[in-house]
Amino acid sequence: MKKSILNLGKILNKENQKQINGGMIGCPGPRCYGVSGMGCGTCDDYHALSFACKSRVLVHADCFIGIEPN
């Protein structure tokens, strides 16, 4: 029984990953946000990212000042 449940999943190749992630495997844009003069994106750019991309980048604490928690 356990083996049949484990085998129901499908290994995702790069093409499958692209379809799931909207055509990209990685996240677009800079790797850092909210730090001026370092080639980083703005805080507004950071907040426009998807949740998955937000967890993959560096962001300065200033981008969270004045934001209400969900």
Side-chain angles (χ1 to χ4, degrees):
M1 182 69 167
K2 284 184 181 179
K3 189 171 185 177
S4 65
I5 291 172
L6 293 175
N7 288 334
L8 289 176
K10 176 182 172 185
I11 295 174
L12 299 177
N13 61 25
K14 296 271 185 190
E15 188 60 36
N16 297 131
Q17 292 174 19
K18 284 181 184 179
Q19 290 174 351
I20 291 169
N21 292 325
M24 330 178 197
I25 293 174
C27 296
R31 299 278 183 209
C32 61
Y33 294 87
V35 182
S36 61
M38 299 287 293
C40 298
T42 65
C43 290
D44 289 335
D45 294 338
Y46 170 75
H47 292 296
L49 293 173
S50 69
F51 179 77
C53 290
K54 284 181 180 179
S55 64
R56 298 177 187 176
V57 297
L58 297 173
V59 61
H60 194 276
D62 288 348
C63 291
F64 300 105
I65 294 174
I67 295 178
E68 295 290 325
N70 291 355

